[in-house]
Amino acid sequence: QVQLVESGGGLVQAGGSLRLSCAASGRLFSSLTMGWFRQAPGKEREFVAGISWSGGTIYYADSVKGRFTISRDNAKNMAYLQMNSLKPEDTAVYYCAASLGGSHYTTAIEYDYWGQGTQVTVSS
């Protein structure tokens, strides 16, 4: 079992920044592929970013590329999502996810564990 806890969400004006954090426990963090997803009201859960255990492979959704940065600190069992130049359409609940052995990053079904989510609201 892996437990994931997100933090760092909140209310921010368009153009602002937030950094989301994901704390992992219950398994060696370095063995996990980590991802961030988001879900806006009335919409499907959407891939945002993913990162391999080493940080050597990173994927971003086209909608956030150039604005968001995913990173991880294996020594601290933490993953992060730095979000810059936020837009109202970024408003969603953001979820941290972990994959035990998958080699795919961009679809929710590939992930085994999920946090409870943290709300990000971007005002216009």
Side-chain angles (χ1 to χ4, degrees):
Q1 181 71 258
V2 174
Q3 287 79 46
L4 304 173
V5 180
E6 304 97 334
S7 62
L11 176 64
V12 64
Q13 291 184 335
S17 298
L18 287 172
R19 189 176 79 156
L20 305 184
S21 298
C22 176
S25 63
R27 191 178 180 93
L28 289 174
F29 183 73
S30 60
S31 70
L32 301 172
T33 293
M34 302 299 297
W36 288 95
F37 291 76
R38 66 188 182 186
Q39 189 165 23
K43 295 188 176 182
E44 298 286 337
R45 189 165 296 189
E46 175 189 24
F47 170 77
V48 176
I51 186 169
S52 65
W53 69 269
S54 68
T57 302
I58 294 176
Y59 292 93
Y60 294 104
D62 288 342
S63 59
V64 307
K65 193 173 298 182
R67 300 187 298 121
F68 291 10
T69 303
I70 188 172
S71 62
R72 66 191 298 162
D73 186 340
N74 289 346
K76 297 180 179 179
N77 288 0
M78 297 288 291
Y80 306 96
L81 185 69
Q82 178 67 44
M83 304 185 294
N84 298 328
S85 301
L86 283 162
K87 305 174 181 179
E89 50 262 48
D90 295 318
T91 295
V93 177
Y94 282 71
Y95 297 91
C96 177
S99 175
L100 295 177
S103 59
H104 299 86
Y105 296 86
T106 63
T107 57
I109 197 171
E110 299 295 330
Y111 289 81
D112 303 287
Y113 301 101
W114 296 84
Q116 294 299 306
T118 185
Q119 177 70 48
V120 172
T121 302
V122 184
S123 64
S124 60

